[in-house]
Amino acid sequence: MSTALAGGTLPVYRWRLAPDGLATRRQLRAMGLRPGGQDVAAELQRPRRRRGPLVAYLYRIDAAMPVRPMTPGRRAALARANRARRVCPSCRLDAGYVIPAALGACVPCADSD
Ligand SMILES: [Zn+2]
């Protein structure tokens, strides 16, 4: 796969280029899922100048387990929470992905400081 970088034993993908079917623990949680004992499937790395890369671990969504049974009300609450998590606190725009806690802003905002 052309987006994969040379790495250790795990496939490593560039930030925001994770393949379909994989999600971070935080993203799983937002879907009401947990890794469920599976091993880490891949790593996401976001290179940073003068520091080590930000690393996020990816899990297989199809192997994840539900945190607890999903109900329509719970699903709606999760959808609202997810929308809120995608809004960058700096530029107030929907980034289209959950704002990484390690960045605290969308990637363009985090890159500009
Ligand atoms: Zn932003």
Side-chain angles (χ1 to χ4, degrees):
M1 180 175 274
S2 62
T3 54
L5 304 174
T9 55
L10 286 174
V12 177
Y13 297 96
R14 290 182 191 279
W15 207 259
R16 296 185 67 182
L17 294 180
D20 287 344
L22 296 180
T24 63
R25 183 181 289 271
R26 179 178 291 267
Q27 289 167 337
L28 286 178
R29 185 73 204 197
M31 291 181 261
L33 300 172
R34 58 190 167 85
Q38 66 174 297
D39 290 330
V40 172
E43 273 183 29
L44 269 190
Q45 289 192 0
R46 179 172 186 265
R48 295 184 294 188
R49 284 183 288 275
R50 296 186 300 277
R51 283 182 292 177
L54 280 177
V55 175
Y57 296 105
L58 294 172
Y59 299 89
R60 283 172 47 201
I61 295 171
D62 63 354
M65 309 280 286
V67 173
R68 52 190 151 112
M70 190 64 74
T71 65
R74 181 165 153 70
R75 194 181 297 278
L78 270 175
R80 280 193 300 276
N82 274 336
R83 267 198 301 282
R85 288 197 200 104
R86 293 199 313 257
V87 174
C88 171
S90 180
C91 64
R92 311 303 303 172
L93 296 176
D94 185 337
Y97 50 88
V98 174
I99 301 298
L103 298 181
C106 69
V107 169
C109 284
D111 273 344
S112 67
D113 63 29

